[in-house]
Amino acid sequence: MAVVPLLAAANVDCDPCAIGLVFDGPASFNVEMRAIFEEEIKAVSAPRFTAVFPDSGRKVADWSLDGVRDAVESVLADPDIDILLTAGPIASSHAVTRGSLSKPVVAMFVLDPEAQRFPLSTNTDGERVSGIPNLSYVTFTRDPAEELSTLREVVPFRRLAYLVSQSLLDAVPALEENLGSAARLDDVQPAIIGVGTSVDAALAAIPPQADAVYVTPLLHLQPADFDGLVQGLIDRSLPAFSYWGRREVDRGLLASLYLDTDMLRLGRRVALHVRRVLDGEDAGDLPVDFHRSERLTLNMETARSIGLHPAWAVTTAAELLHNELPGGGRRLDLTSAVREAVTANLDLAALDRSIAAGKQSVRVARAPLAPQITASGSFDTIDRDNPQLVLGLRPTWRPVASLGISQQLYSDGAKARVAVEGHAQTSREEARAELALDIAHAAAVGYLNVRRARIFERIQRQNLDLTRTNLESAQSRRRIGVARASEVIRWENQIASNRRAVINAAATLEIARIALNRLRHRPLEEHFATADVDLADPALLASSSTLDTYAGNALGFAVFRDFMASEALAESPELRQLDASIAATERTVVAARRSFWSPIVAASGNVIAAQPGQGPAAFESLAAPFSFDRPNALNWTLGVSATLPLSTGGARRAEQSRAQEQLDQLRLARAAAAERIEQRLRSALHQAGASYAGIELVEDAAAAARSNLDLVRDAYEQGALPILDLIDAQNASLVAEQRAATAVYDFLIDLMEVHRATGRFGFFMDPEDLSAFGERLRDFYTKAGYAPSTGP
């Protein structure tokens, strides 16, 4: 290229001022970039200057060096264009290296000015500038060696393949050597792969021994082609890093050290350059360095796909995308979590066995009232020297069989035992219902704790990101001499504290997940996705719409508490359990009273069969002056008996007194339990009402804290406030954000206590039951003389 003498800086005198824009080639985000740049330039230039963007000054090249050169030269030669912006690395490279410029140019995407041997000078403020009349450019300041060192903490590698646009390599031949030399400084063996239009060819060109891949901006690829490239890297289990930032990590690349190239900040930087040129400054005196916001971002789904497990130090420092483990496709909502717990919980399963045993106890108590049948058999033999044998009174041997049957005709005590055991079984079943409520409550609170812990972790990570941003501000202030080194160290210490908070928040989340899995009898470390909770869900019983309608003021809330208290007393398994015990004791008292005059009446019968047996032969022929009766072979008896103890030493009187005292005690215990239940219910409602009313208030407080933080940060960056003021504002904002983000879950946890105190959970109610609940609520308010819709 022939060297053209440098021209003096152009004096831009225009109204309106036409801005030209050249893109390297068609890309999916060109429209987004163009809109940002145009909007920012118009806003910053007004009202003194009117910026326009004529169609004739907008060029989209074809990604080739010749095509880009033609587009740039075309706009430079257009007398109707006052300032040129190059929105691509190839166009920016050509604009910087072409020589003299007849009009101001802002080259917006310069990748590496040292490698590209671009002009660099230092102005009086210590800022790097081009020093060339009419030429300003923007370069993303970074340290390649430090970048590679950080990436090697994510995944160790020795052989790194760079994927670089082939058009860019053609336009900037020095780029390949610079990338290679930077890698070798960090003891990395590089391989530079030019990427054209074929993704398959690029993937095939990656050396088999490559440990990792670094993806530079491949702006020429269509979205589908880029996604194919990402999938191809995953299929080869290659960890891939993105130069561009978070957006590409979200699409499947493993990691990036940067947020997405902040187009809004870049647009504002370019707009300020344009405004300064319009104000008469030389573009060659404008700063070129643009510091990108550094944030390590990891795609955890990609990490799992390629078998990578980053260290704790990495995951706590990074923003984790797609961090929800598949968990076998399990996804829980509040209702399903509660129902699973009540269905599968081992404590409930154990109690079910106790109830099954109790059913048999009832049968055992009822058995004496049924006919009792007994059978027996015996075989008798006698000593030959026995006098009975000598006299012929007994045979030598005799078999005997008997069959007996008995039936209690009347026994109040036996009937009482059956009744008492039946009430005891009812009590056991109500105890099971009570435990089921406790399990449902614990599962609901456990689910909400998982949701809340997840939010806490996210907020702590966001706070860590904010601290990193403040560190970058402190480093910038340090570079320009308005901050001391202690400020940078203070923010570095704050980052360490914030990372520990992230670790603690992650541990809290895991603990909450384990607790919920235990209640659901699932593998304790099983991961699952969770769904948000709709405050208007009728299954919440005291949903947002119910509270707004029926508890919108003090009187309405008082009526609502009365209604819920009546529901709690009617539905409480604790009270039903005591009722069963009271009924059992009442029957015991009656039985004890009747025992003084109520006999036990029973009927019985026996049949005895006995063979005559065999005696000595001499006895059979013995002649005697008298005869003996031989026993019958079959005998039977039948009788009815009545038994009434006349004196038991005072035991019956004592039993009656004891049963009466136990009955009085149970009645008092029931009254006390009813008071506790009503107290619990009313207290829970007051707490839930307060937390519900506080949702909007804490959101307002969080908004105010965010606004205050923004003001303090601006003042800090301008040197008007010390670092401690910013730390205090950040901590206040953190607390406010946590309260705002979890206010809904605080209310829901309080509401689950209301459910438990009421003795029922709406999750187990079918639509008819929910409708009946609503009808009772409306009737209660009607009887109380209060119209919810119009107020008292």
Side-chain angles (χ1 to χ4, degrees):
M1 179 184 299
V3 178
V4 180
L6 297 179
L7 299 178
N11 183 17
V12 181
D13 184 10
C14 55
D15 189 22
C17 300
I19 312 296
L21 187 61
V22 175
F23 293 97
D24 285 352
S28 58
F29 56 87
N30 281 356
V31 174
E32 175 188 352
M33 292 173 57
R34 170 190 159 196
I36 291 173
F37 292 138
E38 292 184 1
E39 181 178 347
E40 290 294 326
I41 291 172
K42 288 178 180 179
V44 172
S45 299
R48 182 175 176 183
F49 301 99
T50 301
V52 296
F53 299 84
D55 292 340
S56 61
R58 188 183 312 116
K59 302 293 183 182
V60 179
D62 59 1
W63 296 109
S64 69
L65 180 57
D66 291 338
V68 171
R69 181 188 299 113
D70 292 342
V72 170
E73 295 300 327
S74 172
V75 177
L76 284 174
D78 189 341
D80 295 328
I81 301 300
D82 300 299
I83 299 176
L84 170 62
L85 310 179
T86 56
I90 301 176
S92 296
S93 177
H94 173 70
V96 173
T97 58
R98 72 179 298 278
S100 294
L101 299 169
S102 58
K103 60 186 63 174
V105 173
V106 179
M108 295 188 290
F109 288 95
V110 170
L111 300 181
D112 192 334
E114 288 88 351
Q116 296 172 263
R117 296 181 175 84
F118 285 179
L120 277 174
S121 301
T122 303
N123 63 13
T124 56
D125 294 327
E127 299 171 318
R128 296 202 305 176
V129 299
S130 75
I132 303 299
N134 290 332
L135 174 63
S136 177
Y137 58 84
V138 177
T139 182
F140 300 147
T141 306
R142 66 191 185 96
D143 184 340
E146 181 178 347
E147 181 180 17
L148 289 179
S149 177
T150 304
L151 292 176
R152 293 176 76 176
E153 294 177 5
V154 177
V155 52
F157 57 84
R158 291 292 305 276
R159 295 171 292 273
L160 181 65
Y162 286 90
L163 299 185
V164 187
S165 166
Q166 185 61 56
S167 299
L168 183 58
L169 290 175
D170 294 340
V172 189
L175 185 60
E176 180 173 356
E177 174 54 32
N178 188 70
L179 288 173
S181 60
R184 282 187 288 270
L185 286 175
D186 200 47
D187 197 26
V188 172
Q189 301 174 18
I192 312 301
I193 310 299
V195 180
T197 58
S198 173
V199 168
D200 292 338
L203 290 170
I206 298 175
Q209 64 271 24
D211 301 319
V213 174
Y214 193 107
V215 181
T216 65
L218 302 177
L219 307 180
H220 65 288
L221 291 181
Q222 294 299 312
D225 293 331
F226 184 84
D227 292 340
L229 174 66
V230 170
Q231 188 59 51
L233 295 172
I234 292 175
D235 292 342
R236 289 184 55 175
S237 297
L238 278 172
F241 309 117
S242 170
Y243 172 91
W244 195 253
R246 185 184 189 278
R247 182 180 303 184
E248 291 186 347
V249 175
D250 189 44
R251 293 176 66 177
L253 295 184
L254 174 64
S256 178
L257 292 184
Y258 306 105
L259 296 177
D260 286 333
T261 298
D262 193 340
M263 288 301 170
L264 289 175
R265 288 180 56 234
L266 181 60
R268 178 59 56 91
R269 162 66 73 87
V270 172
L272 290 172
H273 278 13
V274 170
R275 173 61 187 260
R276 292 174 68 174
V277 169
L278 294 177
D279 282 335
E281 291 190 56
D282 180 11
D285 294 331
L286 303 180
V288 300
D289 290 316
F290 181 80
H291 294 277
R292 301 177 67 186
S293 298
E294 294 189 8
R295 295 290 186 279
L296 177 60
T297 306
L298 291 178
N299 187 317
M300 296 305 292
E301 182 178 358
T302 298
R304 291 189 292 269
S305 298
I306 65 176
L308 177 66
H309 303 282
W312 288 113
V314 174
T315 56
T316 57
E319 178 184 2
L320 307 180
L321 305 183
H322 307 290
N323 196 30
E324 286 285 352
L325 292 179
R330 297 183 62 82
R331 182 175 181 82
L332 285 181
D333 57 24
L334 179 57
T335 298
S336 63
V338 173
R339 288 181 174 175
E340 278 190 23
V342 173
T343 300
N345 183 264
L346 290 182
D347 293 324
L348 280 174
L351 194 55
D352 286 338
R353 303 283 71 77
S354 175
I355 291 174
K359 290 182 179 180
Q360 303 310 312
S361 297
V362 174
R363 293 183 62 187
V364 170
R366 188 181 294 114
L369 298 178
Q372 308 294 307
I373 301 174
T374 60
S376 65
S378 65
F379 181 85
D380 294 342
T381 186
I382 191 168
D383 186 353
R384 289 180 176 274
D385 297 330
N386 192 294
Q388 296 183 41
L389 179 61
V390 173
L391 294 176
L393 299 178
R394 286 194 60 183
T396 304
W397 55 268
R398 180 182 65 178
V400 178
S402 66
L403 179 67
I405 183 169
S406 63
Q407 170 68 58
Q408 285 192 358
L409 301 179
Y410 177 79
S411 173
D412 187 70
K415 290 183 177 180
R417 286 189 290 273
V418 173
V420 168
E421 195 59 47
H423 291 309
Q425 179 65 6
T426 300
S427 180
R428 286 189 286 268
E429 291 172 353
E430 293 301 332
R432 198 266 184 200
E434 181 181 357
L435 179 59
L437 284 175
D438 291 336
I439 296 297
H441 175 255
V445 172
Y447 179 89
L448 296 171
N449 280 336
V450 170
R451 293 285 302 175
R452 183 165 61 176
R454 192 180 303 281
I455 291 175
F456 272 177
E457 182 190 26
R458 174 176 57 80
I459 292 175
Q460 290 292 357
R461 288 186 181 278
Q462 290 174 344
N463 187 60
L464 176 59
D465 289 342
L466 178 59
T467 302
R468 288 197 178 99
T469 300
N470 292 334
L471 173 60
E472 292 169 1
S473 297
Q475 291 170 337
S476 297
R477 285 159 49 88
R478 173 65 176 162
R479 281 192 295 268
I480 62 177
V482 298
R484 297 185 299 272
S486 59
E487 284 195 23
V488 175
I489 296 173
R490 181 66 180 83
W491 284 119
E492 290 173 345
N493 291 337
Q494 189 70 21
I495 285 177
S497 298
N498 292 161
R499 290 181 65 179
R500 181 171 182 177
V502 169
I503 294 173
N504 290 338
T508 300
L509 173 59
E510 292 304 319
I511 291 170
R513 182 184 288 118
I514 289 171
L516 181 56
N517 281 335
R518 199 274 304 173
L519 289 167
R520 296 164 48 238
H521 186 41
R522 300 292 305 174
L524 295 182
E525 296 281 355
E526 179 183 79
H527 284 255
F528 50 83
T530 58
D532 207 349
V533 182
D534 183 4
L535 292 183
D537 187 351
L540 295 177
L541 299 184
S543 61
S544 58
S545 58
T546 300
L547 291 176
D548 292 340
T549 303
Y550 293 97
N553 55 50
L555 179 56
F557 192 31
V559 176
F560 185 72
R561 294 195 300 274
D562 290 341
F563 167 75
M564 294 297 285
S566 67
E567 290 283 309
L569 295 176
E571 295 294 329
S572 170
E574 294 94 332
L575 294 184
R576 289 198 293 265
Q577 188 177 350
L578 285 168
D579 287 339
S581 297
I582 289 172
T585 308
E586 286 176 340
R587 187 64 181 87
T588 302
V589 170
V590 171
R593 188 182 305 122
R594 290 176 177 175
S595 67
F596 287 96
W597 54 265
S598 177
I600 299 174
V601 180
S604 62
N606 286 282
V607 176
I608 302 174
Q611 293 183 5
Q614 179 66 45
F619 177 79
E620 298 293 339
S621 61
L622 178 66
F626 53 87
S627 62
F628 296 92
D629 291 333
R630 298 284 184 177
N632 295 327
L634 184 66
N635 296 284
W636 59 269
T637 61
L638 181 63
V640 176
S641 66
T643 304
L644 178 65
L646 297 179
S647 176
T648 60
R652 284 178 296 179
R653 182 68 64 185
E655 179 65 27
Q656 181 182 1
S657 298
R658 183 177 66 178
Q660 185 61 53
E661 292 297 336
Q662 289 175 341
L663 179 60
D664 293 341
Q665 180 266 330
L666 286 171
R667 286 170 175 167
L668 289 172
R670 189 194 189 283
E675 284 185 347
R676 287 195 301 271
I677 290 169
E678 187 169 356
Q679 176 196 9
R680 180 179 183 180
L681 184 278
R682 291 179 181 273
S683 299
L685 275 172
H686 276 293
Q687 184 61 48
S691 57
Y692 179 68
I695 292 175
E696 185 174 353
L697 298 178
V698 295
E699 289 176 349
D700 292 342
R706 285 193 297 270
S707 298
N708 178 66
L709 177 59
D710 290 340
L711 293 174
V712 173
R713 285 189 64 200
D714 289 342
Y716 170 75
E717 290 176 355
Q718 296 170 12
L721 286 177
I723 183 175
L724 291 179
D725 286 357
L726 180 53
I727 292 176
D728 289 342
Q730 182 175 335
N731 289 336
S733 180
L734 171 64
V735 172
E737 287 290 348
Q738 288 176 331
R739 290 176 177 171
T742 61
V744 170
Y745 296 103
D746 292 338
F747 162 67
L748 288 171
I749 289 174
D750 293 337
L751 188 57
M752 293 306 104
E753 176 65 17
V754 173
H755 278 242
R756 176 61 187 89
T758 307
R760 68 165 47 157
F761 282 83
F763 312 121
F764 304 109
M765 298 169 65
D766 56 32
E768 291 76 13
D769 291 335
L770 290 173
S771 178
F773 176 85
E775 188 64 31
R776 291 196 303 273
L777 178 60
R778 289 186 289 272
D779 290 345
F780 192 92
Y781 270 76
T782 300
K783 293 177 181 178
Y786 181 85
S789 59
T790 59

